[in-house]
Amino acid sequence: MVKFRRTNILKYINKYNAKSLLEIGCGSEPLFEFIDDFEKFVVIEPVEKFTDIASEKARNHKLKNSINIINELFLGKTQSLSDFDFIVCAGLLHEVMDPMAFVKGLYDVANKNSIVHINVPNAFSFHRLLGLEAGLIKHVQEKSDFQKRFQVNSIFSMTELQELFKSVGFKIVESGFIAFKPFTHLQMQQLIDKNILTEEIIDALSNMVKYCPKLGSELYLNVIKEVP
């Protein structure tokens, strides 16, 4: 999922020719690793382990002097967090305790020209609907044991995600779904370990989302501030 999520993000960074970027929550693979043309790249990440990894990778980047790694919790605009034309928040919003406060922070840090890219799991993905039909969950927004373990606090539908951003003052520019995934992460990993699923089949499964887009594993939005 990291691979497919990143491919989608890079597509829009290229589309908007973004040169000043903010990544909120980088995990172990900061996005700047996959970009070689920017004027400013700021990463804010609260987990020290991940900021250490990002800092090491930044030191080996040809644009290392344009990269700033901040080991803090994202709370909105600060002196270091301002003036970006592309803001990435992927795989994070569903984990925060207060999504509304977080989105208000995004609105605060964005300027009128900023594209904000957000990505979360899809409540109506194929594998969640399959779990529903199999009786493993009682409704599509019930948290699985895996989600409870990894501190998932919200499970969004496309409508709910759009309404959240609109309520704060964002305008939806683009939206969509990525990566058709028929089974849970654990089940997919077991199939990979047994060599039943090859990399080629996984890529093909991801591309199946174009035939049944609303059943994609994850959904995304590109938003901008509404101009009064």
Side-chain angles (χ1 to χ4, degrees):
M1 289 309 306
V2 172
K3 169 187 171 182
F4 301 132
R5 192 182 302 139
R6 181 171 59 234
T7 297
N8 191 53
I9 294 168
L10 293 175
K11 176 179 73 174
Y12 286 109
I13 288 175
N14 291 330
K15 174 180 177 178
Y16 291 104
N17 193 30
K19 301 298 181 185
S20 177
L21 301 100
L22 169 63
E23 182 176 19
I24 304 171
C26 64
S28 61
E29 296 184 347
L31 200 57
F32 62 72
E33 280 192 280
F34 307 91
I35 308 173
D36 58 10
D37 182 20
F38 53 80
E39 297 170 2
K40 179 174 74 170
F41 200 112
V42 177
V43 172
I44 181 165
E45 165 63 60
V47 180
E48 187 174 3
K49 174 184 175 181
F50 292 143
T51 54
D52 288 345
I53 292 172
S55 296
E56 179 62 29
K57 291 182 174 182
R59 283 191 285 270
N60 297 317
H61 198 286
K62 72 174 187 177
L63 297 175
K64 59 185 178 182
N65 293 331
S66 299
I67 301 172
N68 183 21
I69 313 296
I70 302 172
N71 181 208
E72 292 178 7
L73 187 67
F74 174 73
L75 297 174
K77 189 174 183 178
T78 66
Q79 186 174 357
S80 300
L81 299 180
S82 62
D83 193 26
F84 299 101
D85 50 31
F86 203 93
I87 299 168
V88 177
C89 178
L92 178 60
L93 181 64
H94 59 290
E95 296 179 353
V96 303
M97 293 298 296
D98 190 342
M100 177 66 77
F102 189 91
V103 174
K104 287 180 178 178
L106 289 175
Y107 188 87
D108 185 40
V109 78
N111 61 44
K112 66 178 182 179
N113 297 315
S114 301
I115 296 291
V116 180
H117 180 95
I118 196 81
N119 168 281
V120 295
N122 176 20
F124 289 89
S125 66
F126 178 89
H127 75 275
R128 289 197 67 81
L129 292 173
L130 180 61
L132 178 67
E133 292 299 320
L136 301 177
I137 54 176
K138 295 178 182 178
H139 54 83
V140 291
Q141 289 176 309
E142 179 181 338
K143 296 174 187 175
S144 66
D145 291 339
F146 178 89
Q147 289 169 321
K148 292 175 184 176
R149 177 184 170 194
F150 285 92
Q151 299 179 316
V152 172
N153 290 299
S154 303
I155 305 174
F156 294 98
S157 68
M158 177 63 83
T159 299
E160 289 168 334
L161 189 66
Q162 289 182 338
E163 289 303 316
L164 173 60
F165 276 80
K166 288 177 182 178
S167 71
V168 171
F170 280 110
K171 176 182 178 181
I172 312 300
V173 177
E174 286 142 336
S175 63
F177 301 81
I178 62 170
F180 181 86
K181 183 165 72 74
F183 307 114
T184 66
H185 288 324
L186 178 59
Q187 290 169 329
M188 293 288 285
Q189 188 61 56
Q190 290 172 336
L191 292 171
I192 292 169
D193 293 341
K194 293 178 181 178
N195 295 318
I196 296 172
L197 288 182
T198 64
E199 186 173 347
E200 291 76 15
I201 293 297
I202 292 171
D203 287 343
L205 278 172
S206 176
N207 291 334
M208 289 294 291
V209 75
K210 63 189 175 186
Y211 300 109
C212 43
K214 293 184 179 181
L215 300 182
S217 179
E218 299 186 356
L219 51 88
Y220 71 89
L221 301 178
N222 288 330
V223 301
I224 59 172
K225 281 187 172 183
E226 282 276 22
V227 178

